[in-house]
Amino acid sequence: GAQHDTSKKSFLTPSGVKAKEDYTSRKDELSAMWHPSCAHLPILDFDKVLYSNLGNAGPDRGNGEGYVIQARYMGGGDIERLGRQVLFVMNSTGSKYIPANASQNRMHGAYGSFNLKRKDELDFKITFYDAKYKQLKMPEFTLTFYDLDAEGDMELKESIEIGGFEHYLVDDNTQLKITSLPNGNTRFEATERGVFE
């Protein structure tokens, strides 16, 4: 199917304009969670999911395939860019994607989230746009993944395979198994069972 059509602007709900001081305070809050080596890079604060039809699996319809999150630019040391809107567009690039529950492909707290059916996989690309739907070039940015774990019997382990990056950072006490692959990518794989509270 067609990818998310950014020429159709009906899915975008304008939001109010906040004072720069509000964004400065939020930037400081986010920066406190950031690794010092990433302080000069853009921080995107996710506001809300505008459209959710990853892999044409719904629940939204009518504007092509994709998963669109409205975010705000919160970092990089450029005060003039604080609070500017950025659209984070994620598209499935593989032949199959089966969600466990498409209605849960949404924001969970401060995090954008998507799910997969058991033993399934998702190949995807990410594109950034500004509020006028002009594609943004991001010479440098960071991408953070959370909550990789395994099922109780350790038969199924969540993992991410990614390539083309300069370097990665993990917590000093990480439980991930990190493997360099022959294709040049790196796999980050869970080694511990998930804890549900």
Side-chain angles (χ1 to χ4, degrees):
Q3 291 187 343
H4 183 75
D5 182 0
T6 56
S7 67
K8 296 181 180 177
K9 303 181 182 181
S10 59
F11 69 88
L12 178 62
T13 303
S15 59
V17 178
K18 294 185 179 180
K20 290 241 187 308
E21 292 75 15
D22 293 339
Y23 287 117
T24 301
S25 174
R26 178 64 175 149
K27 176 185 181 294
D28 292 342
E29 180 184 335
L30 292 168
S31 296
M33 300 182 292
W34 228 240
H35 192 277
S37 66
C38 301
H40 67 289
L41 298 174
I43 299 172
L44 296 181
D45 189 17
F46 286 179
D47 283 340
K48 59 185 172 182
V49 173
L50 299 176
Y51 184 78
S52 181
N53 190 24
L54 192 59
N56 286 310
D60 295 333
R61 302 285 184 196
N63 207 10
E65 187 276 337
Y67 183 54
V68 182
I69 298 177
Q70 177 180 290
R72 296 285 172 180
Y73 182 94
M74 303 300 286
D78 185 349
I79 190 69
E80 291 305 315
R81 294 186 181 183
L82 286 181
R84 286 192 182 176
Q85 183 175 278
V86 176
L87 299 180
F88 171 102
V89 180
M90 179 175 172
N91 293 107
S92 173
T93 60
S95 58
K96 64 170 190 169
Y97 163 63
I98 304 173
N101 184 347
S103 68
Q104 293 299 306
N105 287 349
R106 57 183 179 84
M107 294 290 294
H108 289 267
Y111 304 99
S113 178
F114 63 90
N115 59 75
L116 302 131
K117 202 153 190 165
R118 286 172 59 101
K119 299 185 179 180
D120 195 14
E121 64 183 45
L122 170 64
D123 296 322
F124 64 89
K125 72 173 184 178
I126 295 170
T127 311
F128 300 94
Y129 296 89
D130 67 14
K132 295 182 179 178
Y133 301 88
K134 178 182 177 183
Q135 186 172 334
L136 298 173
K137 292 183 179 180
M138 307 285 273
E140 289 185 289
F141 72 96
T142 61
L143 188 61
T144 305
F145 295 94
Y146 293 91
D147 194 24
L148 294 177
D149 50 36
E151 290 199 355
D153 56 7
M154 300 298 289
E155 177 188 351
L156 293 178
K157 302 174 188 175
E158 295 175 341
S159 67
I160 293 169
E161 181 180 324
I162 192 168
F165 57 86
E166 185 175 304
H167 63 272
Y168 66 84
L169 294 169
V170 293
D171 189 83
D172 291 339
N173 300 315
T174 186
Q175 298 172 332
L176 295 174
K177 178 182 177 183
I178 302 171
T179 308
S180 297
L181 302 174
N183 63 3
N185 290 351
T186 302
R187 178 184 296 130
F188 301 84
E189 183 179 45
T191 64
E192 295 291 329
R193 293 188 292 270
V195 177
F196 302 95
E197 297 178 354

